[in-house]
Amino acid sequence: MNTTSHAPADSAVRELLALDDDEFRRVVDRDVRAPDPARQVAALRHPAVVDRWRRCLTASKISVESQLAAKASELRAEAARAKASGSFDKKAYHEMVARYEDWRAGALRFKSGMEIRLTEARHLWTELEMVSNLKKEHSLLKERVVRLETELAVAKAAIRNHREVAFEDGVEPEPIDEKL
């Protein structure tokens, strides 16, 4: 199930599960930017952690998308205020746009890395759900087999009893009895 060749140490999984939401988000953000040691990368993908990882990535993606939209609006609003007040400085505006574009490029790289991890997390979560469903189905089938085996044993006992009674001395068996 792990996408890495390194199995997570139980301690790494426990550490991740013990983190509060903000600390966990920081670990996930670091994993997107520059993955931590293989031990923690594997721990994020552990079945006990993968749902939290998936939910955190989803929330972070929404946050980045909101920030991208808000920053663009803030830039346009600031330029409009400067023009309206008559204090528009073309050089300052271009510097502000350059800073925004630098920030936007970084945010888009981060978002792209996050989407890659989110796809992986969704895939792992789907696999876990399938395994869980298969285990439930297997359990139900085992219960049904036990019931059917019990019913078969009861039926065999009834047939044995019927044969004993049907073939007693002096009792002529019916043709159906002979087939049993």
Side-chain angles (χ1 to χ4, degrees), residues 59-89:
S60 293
K61 180 179 181 255
I62 292 167
S63 175
V64 168
E65 289 169 345
S66 297
Q67 289 175 42
L68 283 164
K71 283 272 192 182
S73 295
E74 289 168 5
L75 178 66
R76 286 190 300 275
E78 195 170 328
R81 278 193 294 278
K83 285 180 182 176
S85 70
S87 64
F88 184 78
D89 179 351

Side-chain angles (χ1 to χ4, degrees), residues 35-60:
D36 279 349
R39 177 177 165 254
Q40 192 163 45
V41 169
L44 281 169
R45 289 145 180 87
H46 187 275
V49 181
V50 75
D51 183 46
R52 187 177 186 194
W53 182 48
R54 178 184 60 88
R55 287 182 287 118
C56 182
L57 286 165
T58 300
S60 293

Side-chain angles (χ1 to χ4, degrees), residues 118 124 137 139 160:
L118 184 55
L124 290 171
E137 187 174 336
S139 177
R160 270 192 312 276

